[in-house]
Amino acid sequence: MALLISYGMTRSGSTLAFETKKAILEKYGMPQQKIIFEGLGSWIENYLPEKYLSDIDSLKKINQKTLTNFVVFKTHGAANKKLIEFIRKFNIPVTISVRDPKDIIISLLEISKKNRSINETGFINIISFKDALKNLEEDLWRLETWRPLIEDGTAKVIPYEDTIKDAEIIIKFLADLTSKPKLLIREIKEITKKRFTQFNIGIAGRGKKSLNYIEIFRVEKNVYRRLNNAINPFVFYKKTKFSIIKLLIDILNYKKKILFLKIKKLITSVVTFLSSIWI
């Protein structure tokens, strides 16, 4: 047996998928203790930095350290030709965590706000919707590098929306992989609820409720085609059916907001200018 690579887009529920797989494998009698290896010592969990995805010799040694178990390693890194060849040669199972891009936008904004409030460094430059969308678009190319493994059936796509519902897709995947009986979700939750995970608070569809029509349109226009092409045929994210009236209202509100900001900027400039004259 071998290591099991758990790739996920940023804020896609990759930690949820990672912890769920670990819990299932532990129930199957496959310990998920941290693999100690040079360069990985600073990580609390079994995590593969992107540079390790190009270091095939190290991956082979890590693979040998898993002994007779499947051991899950999480990564957000891009795949490369050598890595894909290694995965195919050694039959390394791979899962790909994805999520509705609108929900990823909300998650990015929330984690940024939280980290700024507690002086953490991750995602702190994501202040606005525009920042979050840019981050999401830049992350898409990493997902697209895993496409060859999706096409040949080596990689299994794990949608966040299904995982927070009942984790059936992961339960079945690992039962088939290990030739073990399927577990019940309550057996897995007994383990995952004790760990750092969003298992009990994840809500699908928040982006559709929280973003305005213009923002939803921009996300779907900029991201959906590339995302769906990358994960086809496992998952297909449908675009929103817009109400013309609500769309027009959002456009008008957006223009009013822009106009207000311009007027505010103009007033500030005038006040500053007058103050300099009076002084």
Side-chain angles (χ1 to χ4, degrees), residues 213-225:
Y213 267 29
I214 294 176
E215 291 168 339
I216 291 173
F217 177 79
R218 288 181 62 187
V219 173
E220 294 180 352
K221 178 178 180 291
N222 292 20
V223 175
Y224 270 43
R225 180 181 59 80

Side-chain angles (χ1 to χ4, degrees), residues 163-191:
T163 307
I164 61 173
K165 183 180 177 182
D166 55 18
E168 173 65 20
I169 192 167
I170 298 178
I171 293 171
K172 185 177 187 307
F173 172 73
L174 291 181
D176 292 343
L177 182 67
T178 60
S179 299
K180 301 278 188 179
K182 285 172 58 177
L183 298 176
L184 298 175
I185 187 62
R186 66 171 179 269
E187 297 179 85
I188 302 163
K189 281 188 175 181
E190 288 175 5
I191 300 175

Side-chain angles (χ1 to χ4, degrees), residues 62-250:
I62 293 171
N63 192 42
Q64 292 171 357
K65 283 179 173 285
T66 64
L67 302 176
T68 58
N69 292 334
F70 280 110
V71 178
V72 189
F73 275 78
K74 177 182 172 182
T75 186
H76 291 302
N80 56 75
K81 186 177 179 180
K82 289 183 178 180
L83 175 67
I84 290 173
E85 290 174 352
F86 164 77
I87 288 171
R88 286 171 173 163
K89 180 178 179 181
F90 290 93
N91 296 315
I92 306 296
V94 177
T95 62
I96 310 288
S97 294
V98 296
R99 186 181 189 181
D100 187 326
K102 297 188 292 293
D103 291 351
I104 290 179
I105 293 286
I106 299 300
S107 183
L108 285 168
L109 291 170
E110 287 181 344
I111 192 64
S112 174
K113 183 178 180 180
K114 176 183 176 182
N115 285 351
R116 281 183 276 120
S117 70
I118 59 177
N119 294 320
E120 289 285 344
T121 57
F123 306 105
I124 58 174
N125 293 324
I126 299 176
I127 309 298
S128 65
F129 165 81
K130 184 178 179 180
D131 298 331
L133 180 58
K134 181 180 179 183
N135 183 281
L136 176 56
E137 290 182 84
E138 291 175 349
D139 197 34
L140 265 179
W141 77 267
R142 291 186 177 86
L143 170 66
E144 291 168 332
T145 63
W146 294 88
R147 175 64 188 168
L149 296 174
I150 296 174
E151 287 182 324
D152 68 17
T154 300
K156 178 74 171 178
V157 177
I158 308 293
Y160 181 75
E161 296 76 18
D162 290 351
T163 307
I164 61 173
K165 183 180 177 182
D166 55 18
E168 173 65 20
I169 192 167
I170 298 178
I171 293 171
K172 185 177 187 307
F173 172 73
L174 291 181
D176 292 343
L177 182 67
T178 60
S179 299
K180 301 278 188 179
K182 285 172 58 177
L183 298 176
L184 298 175
I185 187 62
R186 66 171 179 269
E187 297 179 85
I188 302 163
K189 281 188 175 181
E190 288 175 5
I191 300 175
T192 57
K193 68 182 180 182
K194 299 175 184 177
R195 297 175 177 167
F196 171 72
T197 175
Q198 297 178 345
F199 201 90
N200 294 315
I201 61 173
I203 301 172
R206 290 190 306 150
K208 188 174 182 178
K209 295 178 181 178
S210 302
L211 300 176
N212 63 46
Y213 267 29
I214 294 176
E215 291 168 339
I216 291 173
F217 177 79
R218 288 181 62 187
V219 173
E220 294 180 352
K221 178 178 180 291
N222 292 20
V223 175
Y224 270 43
R225 180 181 59 80
R226 287 176 62 190
L227 173 63
N228 285 329
N229 285 344
I231 59 180
N232 178 61
F234 288 100
V235 185
F236 183 83
Y237 286 100
K238 296 180 180 178
K239 290 186 176 181
T240 303
K241 292 183 179 180
F242 291 105
S243 162
I244 299 300
I245 295 176
K246 288 185 178 180
L247 180 59
L248 288 174
I249 291 173
D250 271 357

